[in-house]
Amino acid sequence: MDFQAGILQDGSPMESLEKQLICPICLEMFSKPVVILPCQHNLCRKCANDVFQAANPYWQSRGSLISGGRFRCPSCRHEVLLDRHGVYGLQRNLLVENIIDIYKQECSSRPLKKGEHPMCKEHEDERINIYCVTCEVPTCSMCKVFGAHKDCEVAPLQTVFQGQKTELNNCISMLVAGNDRIQTIISQLEDSCQSTEENSEAAKRELCARFDALAALLEEKKAELLQRISQEQADKTSFIQSLICQYKEQLERSSRLVETAIQAAEETGGAAFLMGTGTHTSMLSLPRIVEASKGGRLDKIEQGYESMDAFSVSLDHLTEAVHALDFDPADEDEEYFDGEEEEVEE
């Protein structure tokens, strides 16, 4: 008890305690303080509700079927998700309320010292208790009656104080709500940036897949055409090789006939030559030699048979089509491009 009495009698600990009991929104002592979980900071329930309503304009009232919204602590910017009860679902801080009650009782029981209230510089014994609206400065009653502010418009100091404090609180609430909206926009922009990157990667993958499929189709077509050329090559070379074999056989037969004919030509006996009773003429048949000397009747190849010009392929139109490849037009230009495509088809 002595320790607590010492704290209450000393002005500095009381001022420190008062600072701990001030709401960061209205800058006044807490009124029905609520605890923001899990950061454990306190706010007046009304101030917290004003901030929540500004950040969640579609939340109607306590007990509404609409789900809750996000609430950002103005002290540490920590964000919590409230249920459908909104701020009224937060827990009341009864400990802080009891401390505030004790503090107010102690302050009301303490006499106000002369030095604790601002005094007028012109009239040292007069307290500053009015506000000069014309000059926008606080002053005392003597200044209004006899001093520099006798012709000015004045108002009660407490009235002006409450008015300006209310305006300040409204500005603070608007600033906090504006900061929440800006943070929401930043989050949306960050999400848009991430979505742009993801969509770009998906578009790249799709483009690569389409070009890979086109390349695979070209490879398949190339293999098919190469196979046709190879088949034609095999057919023509097979036919030519068969002709070569036939002509070689004919050449071999013709060579043997030439050799036999030469030997027959060396026969000196006319009767033996004509009768075919000579050494070499017995194997010789003059009609065979005559027939062979006229040349063979084997097949021949036509002129240009070895040419493969029929298998040439023009890829100019494909090259132009590849150079003309581009992305599909945007939605707003669909009608224009559709009409253009119909004209091309016609």
Side-chain angles (χ1 to χ4, degrees), residues 54-99:
N56 300 271
Y58 297 106
W59 190 87
Q60 295 180 355
S61 62
R62 181 174 55 181
S64 173
L65 296 178
I66 300 178
S67 60
R70 297 184 178 277
F71 181 82
R72 191 181 300 275
C73 176
S75 299
C76 65
R77 313 302 298 164
H78 182 83
E79 190 176 75
V80 295
L81 185 63
L82 302 183
D83 58 12
R84 63 187 181 88
H85 298 288
V87 173
Y88 292 92
L90 294 175
Q91 183 179 1
R92 290 270 296 272
N93 196 334
L94 300 179
L95 176 61
V96 174
E97 290 188 27
N98 294 333
I99 294 176

Side-chain angles (χ1 to χ4, degrees), residues 307-312:
S307 174
M308 302 294 284
D309 293 340
F311 293 93
S312 63

